[in-house]
Structures are given as structure tokens and as C-alpha cells.
Amino acid sequence: MIDFFFSQYAGYPTWEIILELTAVFFGLWSVWCAKKDNILVFPTGLVSTFIYAYLLWKWELLGDAMINGYYFIMSIYGWYHWSRKKGEVEEYPISITTKREYQFAIVIFILTLIFVYLVYQYFDKFTNWYNYVDTFLTAVFFVGMWLMAKRKIENWLFWIVGDFISIPLYFLKGYTFTSLQFLIFTIIAVFGYLEWKKILYSPLKKELL
């Protein structure tokens, strides 16, 4: 059983395994903070995404590397956005995505699909079926991260879909630790959505609205 799940690490340098485990730890911590609507989601996410962007680029998984590079940038924006206050009141609390924001999300999704497709074509990386899945996932995660930075509850729906698809995808790529991470991500994302929904529709929240 152990060989089945972890045999692919036999030829990996020890420092790469340590880096991946470090990225997994900070990634899980970040998602847990997101579930709790805690601003620490962003500094912990910066550590995880920085490490993953490096490792995935080194492993020639361009779509995944771009996702994490984008996460890194959006984490900086989200950190700033979430920390803004009017006095003691959060300027941008948890909210529902507006029609205009949905339209912008569709634009982000389509442009991301086109961009990643062109990058993969340029580097001649459409050599496996999962490269096409990567293209779709990159677009899903780009929208999810943008909505999270905007503190929109619908971000969790994109994470749930993307994380669930990533579980078998990363295992088949040979990155078992990351696959297990996405399994936990999926579970946390479900509870994150429920917790944000509870916060959004709490009696106190309704009074403020």
C-alpha cells in the first residue's frame, strides 16, 4: 500500500520532498484560515504558493505553476482588501457575488483558458491528457481566487469543484502528498462554504444590512 502511494518519490531529492511537505502544511493552514474568515489565509498562502510555484515550474507543470504565481499576487491583493476598515467595521465583509462580478468572473475564466492554452501550445506541453484538464482547472482556480480576494461566498463553490478534480489528477501525476492535500482541501472547502453562509445570514449580519 505504501509503495502504491509513495513509490514515485523514490527518485526525488530529499529537499524537494521537504519543500512539498512544507507547502502542503502552509496550504492546509491557509485554507483552514479561509474557512474561519481569518486574514491569516493570505500570509500562510503566500508561503505555500511561492514554494509550489517554484516546484511546479521545475517539474514543468506550467499551468499549475501559473496558478500558484497568480495565487501569490492575489494573496497580496486579498490581504490588503480584507484588512480595510471604516473605523472598527470591516469595509468588505463576506458578501454575495453581484451580477456584474459574475460577468467579470466569466471574462476571467475565458481569458485564462485562452492564455493557458496558448502557453501550453507555445511550449509544446499538450503531451498528456491531463494537460487539457490543467487548462480547465487553471481557469476555475483563477476565478475562485479572485472571488476569495473579493470575499465573495461563491469562491468556495469554485474551490470545491477544482479541488475535487485535482485529487486524482495530482495522484496520477505522481504527487501523492499534494493529492492528499487536495482531498483535505475539498472537505474544508465544503465546511468553509457552510460556515461563510452561516456568517452571511446570521441575525446580526441581517441587522447590519
Side-chain angles (χ1 to χ4, degrees), residues 31-97:
V31 175
W32 181 259
C33 289
K35 173 182 175 294
K36 294 295 183 182
D37 192 31
N38 189 315
I39 199 168
L40 286 177
V41 57
F42 297 112
T44 52
L46 284 171
V47 176
S48 178
T49 55
F50 181 81
I51 295 173
Y52 265 123
Y54 166 73
L55 286 176
L56 291 164
W57 186 266
K58 188 175 184 297
W59 295 336
E60 298 185 350
L61 299 171
L62 303 183
D64 304 281
M66 285 187 288
I67 289 175
N68 282 274
Y70 169 77
Y71 284 172
F72 187 86
I73 295 170
M74 289 303 292
S75 290
I76 296 172
Y77 168 74
W79 196 349
Y80 165 74
H81 192 74
W82 282 35
S83 63
R84 294 174 66 179
K85 292 185 176 181
K86 291 181 179 179
E88 295 299 317
V89 180
E90 292 172 343
E91 189 170 353
Y92 295 100
I94 296 172
S95 60
I96 297 172
T97 306

Side-chain angles (χ1 to χ4, degrees), residues 41-198:
V41 57
F42 297 112
T44 52
L46 284 171
V47 176
S48 178
T49 55
F50 181 81
I51 295 173
Y52 265 123
Y54 166 73
L55 286 176
L56 291 164
W57 186 266
K58 188 175 184 297
W59 295 336
E60 298 185 350
L61 299 171
L62 303 183
D64 304 281
M66 285 187 288
I67 289 175
N68 282 274
Y70 169 77
Y71 284 172
F72 187 86
I73 295 170
M74 289 303 292
S75 290
I76 296 172
Y77 168 74
W79 196 349
Y80 165 74
H81 192 74
W82 282 35
S83 63
R84 294 174 66 179
K85 292 185 176 181
K86 291 181 179 179
E88 295 299 317
V89 180
E90 292 172 343
E91 189 170 353
Y92 295 100
I94 296 172
S95 60
I96 297 172
T97 306
T98 65
K99 182 178 179 180
R100 183 176 179 82
E101 287 168 335
Y102 268 122
Q103 292 170 342
F104 194 73
I106 292 172
V107 172
I108 292 175
F109 185 85
I110 294 172
L111 290 180
T112 303
L113 276 179
I114 295 171
F115 175 72
V116 177
Y117 175 80
L118 292 175
V119 169
Y120 268 69
Q121 283 282 37
Y122 180 80
F123 288 99
D124 194 26
K125 292 297 181 181
F126 282 119
T127 55
N128 295 287
W129 62 268
Y130 56 68
N131 294 133
Y132 294 94
V133 181
D134 279 340
T135 304
F136 171 76
L137 279 178
T138 304
V140 170
F141 284 137
F142 265 46
V143 175
M145 187 64 196
W146 178 73
L147 290 173
M148 174 171 280
K150 301 286 285 184
R151 220 170 195 164
K152 301 297 178 178
I153 191 172
E154 291 82 1
N155 83 85
W156 290 111
L157 302 178
F158 285 86
W159 291 124
I160 291 168
V161 172
D163 291 343
F164 184 75
I165 296 173
S166 296
I167 297 168
L169 187 66
Y170 273 91
F171 179 74
L172 292 171
K173 288 177 180 179
Y175 308 111
T176 304
F177 292 125
T178 300
S179 176
L180 293 173
Q181 174 188 241
F182 275 105
L183 172 61
I184 300 172
F185 277 176
T186 304
I187 297 170
I188 295 176
V190 172
F191 284 100
Y193 175 76
L194 295 175
E195 191 157 332
W196 277 37
K197 189 175 181 180
K198 184 178 179 181

Side-chain angles (χ1 to χ4, degrees), residues 6-17:
F6 300 104
S7 60
Q8 63 268 36
Y9 287 99
Y12 281 26
T14 302
W15 66 270
E16 281 193 11
I17 298 175

